[in-house]
Amino acid sequence: MKKLFFFDIDGTLYNTDVKVPESTKKAIKELQNNGHAVMIATGRAPFLFEDLRDELNIHSYVSLNGQYAVVDGEVIYKRPIEKELLELLTKEANINDHPIVYLNQDNMISNIKSHDYINEGLGSLKFNHDPVHDKAFYLSNDIYQSLLFCTEDEEDYYKEKFTNLDFLRWHRVSLDVLPKGGTKAKTVKKVIEKLGFDEEDVYAFGDGPNDREMLKFVKHSVAMGNAVDETKAVAEYVTDHVDNDGLYKALEHYGFI
């Protein structure tokens, strides 16, 4: 019986050096050779993991934390943030000297030219994409996710003021900003329905707070050994650390390797 697999990127497919372990490459290849469907489910925008898709020969994905999904090259779902909300958020962020980066499938645009928080947050992802500056970009383009740069003690102000948006912290100085109720889990459900898989035949792997809802939703969920506690708490199985062949070992545990 063929299965459907969803893999997060950072901390799941990528190790702490932001590279794919050889054991993971082997595991993904074996799943594909055995006819299973393999997809990526990530908070990253599509243009930020093109090389990874080519490296692993995976061309179906849920990206931008569920706001933009592609199956075999076809866009099957997209949900941008309302422009009016983005405009209000941008005004408030400007007043507080908190920069914003706007993301869609092709671009990453900053509303200011430079800021230490942007350098620190995006620098931790170790990719070669510095955001271009265009403070009006969101007005004429669909934005599926934004990054608001502020510290944890400053985030409640935005959560209380913008109840029609979701805020999810991913770094000491940065939050993902998403349409209300937008999660990987909801879009994973749409993919499952489109591909016609039984929910019993679906597996998901992740490590971050943004993976929690996805791991709660699927029948078979794996939290990496490096996952945050809240994500481990909802997983069916907790494997080893990503740096210690955790993904490969989990697939061994379930008998796929």
Side-chain angles (χ1 to χ4, degrees):
M1 184 69 69
K2 304 308 180 187
K3 311 296 183 183
L4 173 59
F5 293 85
F6 293 91
F7 295 100
D8 172 53
I9 293 179
D10 296 285
T12 303
L13 289 173
Y14 277 155
N15 61 19
T16 52
D17 292 325
V18 194
K19 295 180 179 178
V20 182
E22 288 302 318
S23 64
T24 295
K25 294 178 186 178
K26 180 180 178 182
I28 297 297
K29 185 67 174 175
E30 189 157 343
L31 289 178
Q32 293 167 330
N33 287 343
N34 289 329
H36 300 299
V38 180
M39 295 187 60
I40 287 169
T42 181
R44 290 190 180 220
F47 74 95
L48 293 175
F49 59 99
E50 287 180 290
D51 290 347
L52 176 64
R53 299 202 304 271
D54 290 339
E55 182 178 7
L56 297 179
N57 193 30
I58 300 175
H59 301 292
S60 297
Y61 53 86
V62 172
S63 66
L64 292 156
N65 279 313
Q67 312 322 304
Y68 193 88
V70 170
V71 174
D72 294 329
E74 175 193 356
V75 179
I76 66 158
Y77 179 75
K78 53 184 179 179
R79 184 189 178 196
I81 303 173
E82 293 178 23
K83 286 183 170 53
E84 295 81 0
L85 286 174
L86 272 179
E87 187 165 18
L88 290 171
L89 177 66
T90 299
K91 287 179 179 178
E92 291 294 329
N94 283 337
I95 291 171
N96 296 320
D97 189 31
H98 293 151
I100 294 180
V101 169
Y102 310 106
L103 291 157
N104 63 16
Q105 70 274 25
D106 299 315
N107 291 292
M108 177 169 58
I109 308 294
S110 172
N111 71 326
I112 63 174
K113 290 184 178 179
S114 64
H115 195 284
D116 288 344
Y117 281 2
I118 293 179
N119 295 337
E120 179 182 341
L122 295 184
S124 70
L125 298 176
K126 300 180 182 178
F127 52 64
N128 297 319
H129 293 274
D130 293 325
V132 175
H133 169 236
D134 181 353
K135 64 181 181 181
F137 179 76
Y138 69 94
L139 294 173
S140 56
N141 294 272
D142 283 339
I143 304 300
Y144 299 103
Q145 178 175 301
S146 292
L147 306 178
L148 172 65
F149 290 84
C150 67
T151 56
E152 189 170 355
D153 61 318
E154 298 167 316
E155 70 181 61
D156 284 346
Y157 172 82
Y158 295 98
K159 289 181 176 180
E160 292 168 6
K161 192 173 185 68
F162 296 96
T163 56
N164 288 327
L165 293 171
D166 282 341
F167 297 86
L168 185 64
R169 182 160 294 278
W170 64 274
H171 187 274
R172 185 187 75 84
V173 296
S174 189
L175 296 158
D176 289 330
V177 183
L178 301 164
K180 189 69 177 179
T183 65
K184 291 182 183 182
K186 287 188 175 182
T187 310
V188 161
K189 185 175 187 294
K190 293 179 184 296
V191 172
I192 293 170
E193 291 170 352
K194 180 174 179 61
L195 295 179
F197 276 86
D198 190 296
E199 290 186 1
E200 195 64 46
D201 296 324
V202 180
Y203 293 72
F205 290 58
D207 71 300
N210 63 333
D211 296 313
R212 185 175 184 273
E213 292 302 316
M214 176 175 69
L215 267 57
K216 279 179 64 178
F217 169 70
V218 300
K219 291 293 184 181
H220 304 291
S221 56
V222 176
M224 305 301 289
N226 46 283
V228 296
D229 288 342
E230 63 191 274
T231 299
K232 287 180 178 178
V234 301
E236 177 181 64
Y237 180 70
V238 178
T239 187
D240 207 338
H241 195 287
V242 64
D243 291 344
N244 197 30
D245 302 325
L247 189 148
Y248 188 96
K249 290 175 180 177
L251 291 172
E252 274 189 321
H253 167 79
Y254 282 105
F256 292 109
I257 293 177

